[in-house]
Amino acid sequence: MKHLTIGLLSAFALLHSCSAAAEKIALVGGRLIDGTASLPLKNSVVLINDGKVESVGQVDTLEVPEGYRVISTEGHDVLPGLWENHAHLQLTGHANYPHWQANYRDRFVSEIMPAALVQLLLAGVTSVRDLGAPLDDTIAMKQQLADGSLPGPHLYASGPFIQWQVDDWQSSYRWAVQSKAEAIKRIDQLADAGMDIVKLIDHDDMPRELVETIVQHAHKRNLKVVAHAHKPNEIRIGVEVGVDNFEHTGLTTAPGYPEDVLAALRERTATGIFDGLLFWTPTVEGLYTYEEAIKNHEYLDDSCWHRGLKDDTIADIQASLAAPGQLSYKQLVPLRQPTLKRKIEQLRETGVVMLVGTDVGIPMKFHCQTTWHEMAVWVDEMGFSPMETIRAATYWPAVMMGVEDQYGSITEGKVADIIAVRGDVLKYINLLQRVDFVMKEGVVYKENGRVNEVILPAQLRQ
């Protein structure tokens, strides 16, 4: 199969950036893991035309038509683009949140959020849910992604958190809501601004009728509702009022979830097929591997997270992480870590549908690395199979967001968001740390492990 030289690749990328819709591509030879419940397809052929999957077949049965550029995927697993279901684009690993908000707030749109988006994309993440950022900044990112001036994943965003009380230093990305009228006003503001999600936290501090108003009005405006699950009452109330998706594993050092909480989850998941689905994003890896990271934090020196960031930003982040074992944010983690496996087991037993998400952006967690970290912990430590982990990062997030007719699998008519990895990801899931091929909407951003730098804005190149 033919491979482009670096010079030809750059020339193609320059042309491609101006006429992406005209490009016809055939991915030929790899094993296709399409995101559905189908068995992997050996010697696959995927035809892409005008940014969508035109046909799927095998080398012996589907001929590549004339005019298609052939990209060999021999020796690779071909998968749908990954979803990162719990990201913070305004954060990028710094250990001091008040310092970050005070010193980088005016850089979010120009530097921080674009860097996060392109790092995710080049790591194979073609869809992301950003759960908590200033509204104007999020609007700006959505506009830049839509007009093509900024490369990045499809962005599903919440804008600011909704909660009962907010500290002054957090007020740019968290909204205090304390009345029904204010709740309706804020939900309408989010919906009118093009947000996709309402993020609800500490809702056990709110009057019950206020929580109901938030969830009901969000659903009326076609917004999904995600909620923190740090406390038992957050879960109890969230289940009762119809929250769509819980975030985090929660309950600090408690050995497990109370039985009445588990019973409520089981009842909620038994109410139907898709109408009864309840989603859960456990964000478990950052907790589970923290003690290992203290022993070996060489990954913090990986320059992949420098892409798009200014030198002084990089130096400030590095200084904040100089002593990983002393981070105040993480001091309770060693006591929480032994409880995590049992909590994951309990959640799986209730029938909730798990989604891969990482809380990326929090201290020590970088957008270029974290999604595959989470997937590896699911498989290697938490008892998930590689296939269900892949589907939790591809198919099920699209179902949760109501876009499974366009995204989440490599099937005819879907948007061509596709990645490829050299080797067997069903045996070695951590191969996802080096995604060799990244395509979003038919545009190739990485091929043969090389980034198509020329189609990136200058400040996002390396």
Side-chain angles (χ1 to χ4, degrees):
M1 296 298 177
K2 62 183 179 181
H3 296 278
L4 296 176
T5 64
I6 295 176
L8 287 175
L9 181 60
S10 296
F12 157 73
L14 183 60
L15 174 64
H16 192 69
S17 66
C18 300
S19 57
E23 180 75 6
K24 296 180 179 181
I25 295 174
L27 305 179
V28 178
R31 181 176 69 166
L32 177 64
I33 302 168
D34 70 7
T36 74
S38 300
L39 294 175
L41 186 67
K42 298 178 181 178
N43 300 317
S44 67
V45 176
V46 182
L47 301 182
I48 295 107
N49 187 358
D50 198 21
K52 291 191 175 182
V53 177
E54 184 176 50
S55 299
V56 176
Q58 292 178 287
V59 171
D60 293 339
T61 59
L62 179 59
E63 184 177 352
V64 177
E66 187 176 348
Y68 283 70
R69 183 168 75 94
V70 174
I71 298 177
S72 174
T73 54
E74 293 284 4
H76 290 70
D77 280 339
V78 180
L79 299 83
L82 303 177
W83 284 62
E84 169 54 66
N85 290 289
H86 193 123
H88 293 289
L89 300 180
Q90 63 152 327
L91 304 175
T92 184
H94 198 286
N96 187 324
Y97 285 173
H99 170 87
W100 185 257
Q101 294 296 327
N103 291 277
Y104 292 90
R105 174 68 182 85
D106 61 351
R107 294 192 185 189
F108 288 172
V109 170
S110 63
E111 177 189 0
I112 306 303
M113 297 174 81
L117 285 163
V118 78
Q119 288 178 26
L120 286 165
L121 180 62
L122 297 180
V125 174
T126 57
S127 296
V128 60
R129 298 193 327 187
D130 183 36
L131 301 182
L135 182 58
D136 288 346
D137 296 354
T138 305
I139 292 171
M141 291 301 97
K142 278 182 164 278
Q143 290 175 338
Q144 290 179 37
L145 289 167
D147 68 24
S149 62
L150 174 65
H154 306 285
L155 175 57
Y156 303 87
S158 69
F161 298 46
I162 301 293
Q163 59 192 93
W164 182 241
Q165 293 180 322
V166 174
D167 292 334
D168 287 344
W169 68 271
Q170 299 173 316
S171 60
S172 69
Y173 65 98
R174 294 173 182 255
W175 288 346
V177 171
Q178 298 186 337
S179 71
K180 291 183 180 181
E182 188 175 17
I184 291 171
K185 177 183 175 181
R186 287 301 200 183
I187 299 302
D188 284 341
Q189 186 177 356
L190 294 174
D192 293 343
M195 298 301 105
D196 314 277
I197 299 166
V198 170
K199 182 175 183 180
L200 187 59
I201 73 168
D202 292 332
H203 48 278
D204 55 332
D205 294 336
M206 294 178 170
R208 167 62 179 266
E209 60 271 17
L210 179 55
V211 185
E212 290 177 340
T213 297
I214 291 169
V215 174
Q216 291 171 5
H217 197 65
H219 287 162
K220 182 179 179 181
R221 294 300 310 269
N222 296 316
L223 302 178
K224 301 292 185 179
V225 180
V226 305
H228 273 188
H230 286 306
K231 296 169 284 183
N233 275 343
E234 284 183 309
I235 304 170
R236 292 184 181 109
I237 295 169
V239 169
E240 292 171 1
V241 301
V243 161
D244 301 297
N245 186 173
F246 286 104
E247 306 293 312
H248 309 305
T249 310
L251 278 70
T252 62
T253 61
Y257 295 96
E259 181 53 41
D260 74 296
V261 167
L262 297 173
L265 294 174
R266 287 192 291 266
E267 183 174 359
R268 169 75 179 272
T269 60
T271 58
I273 308 295
F274 280 170
D275 287 344
L277 290 180
L278 176 61
F279 295 90
W280 203 292
T281 314
T283 67
V284 71
E285 182 273 334
L287 300 173
Y288 195 79
T289 62
Y290 174 59
E291 290 182 282
E292 294 179 11
I294 294 173
K295 298 174 186 175
N296 177 19
H297 45 271
E298 187 64 27
Y299 77 94
L300 299 178
D301 295 336
D302 189 332
S303 64
C304 72
W305 64 264
H306 298 182
R307 179 183 287 269
L309 299 178
K310 297 178 180 179
D311 289 344
D312 61 333
T313 307
I314 295 168
D316 194 7
I317 295 167
Q318 289 173 327
S320 80
L321 301 176
Q326 298 177 20
L327 302 183
S328 59
Y329 185 88
K330 299 279 192 178
Q331 291 308 299
L332 194 60
V333 170
L335 299 179
R336 299 179 66 185
Q337 195 268 0
T339 74
L340 295 174
K341 280 190 177 182
R342 177 56 186 151
K343 289 172 181 172
I344 293 295
E345 290 172 358
Q346 288 180 309
L347 290 175
R348 295 181 73 186
E349 289 167 0
T350 68
V352 299
V353 179
M354 297 284 200
L355 304 179
V356 169
T358 66
D359 217 8
V360 63
I362 66 171
M364 300 176 66
K365 308 306 294 180
F366 298 111
H367 297 86
C368 63
Q369 302 169 329
T370 311
T371 307
W372 80 263
H373 284 171
E374 181 85 7
M375 296 176 75
V377 165
W378 278 36
V379 173
D380 297 338
E381 303 291 345
M382 298 296 163
F384 292 83
S385 73
M387 187 63 82
E388 66 182 317
T389 301
I390 289 168
R391 296 192 77 208
T394 56
Y395 177 77
W396 287 118
V399 171
M400 187 272 155
M401 290 306 303
V403 294
E404 69 273 19
D405 60 330
Q406 301 179 69
Y407 306 102
S409 63
I410 303 174
T411 50
E412 290 183 12
K414 299 287 183 72
V415 174
D417 293 348
I418 301 172
I419 65 173
V421 180
R422 186 181 300 277
D424 183 352
V425 297
L426 297 181
K427 187 174 182 180
Y428 306 108
I429 194 70
N430 63 3
L431 288 174
L432 286 168
Q433 68 185 286
R434 292 187 182 89
V435 176
D436 294 284
F437 175 87
V438 177
M439 168 186 284
K440 182 199 167 209
E441 295 182 306
V443 178
V444 178
Y445 289 90
K446 185 187 284 188
E447 187 175 345
N448 296 328
R450 300 189 188 97
V451 176
N452 291 354
E453 301 283 356
V454 72
I455 65 174
L456 303 181
Q459 72 271 22
L460 297 173
R461 298 175 191 165
Q462 282 189 338

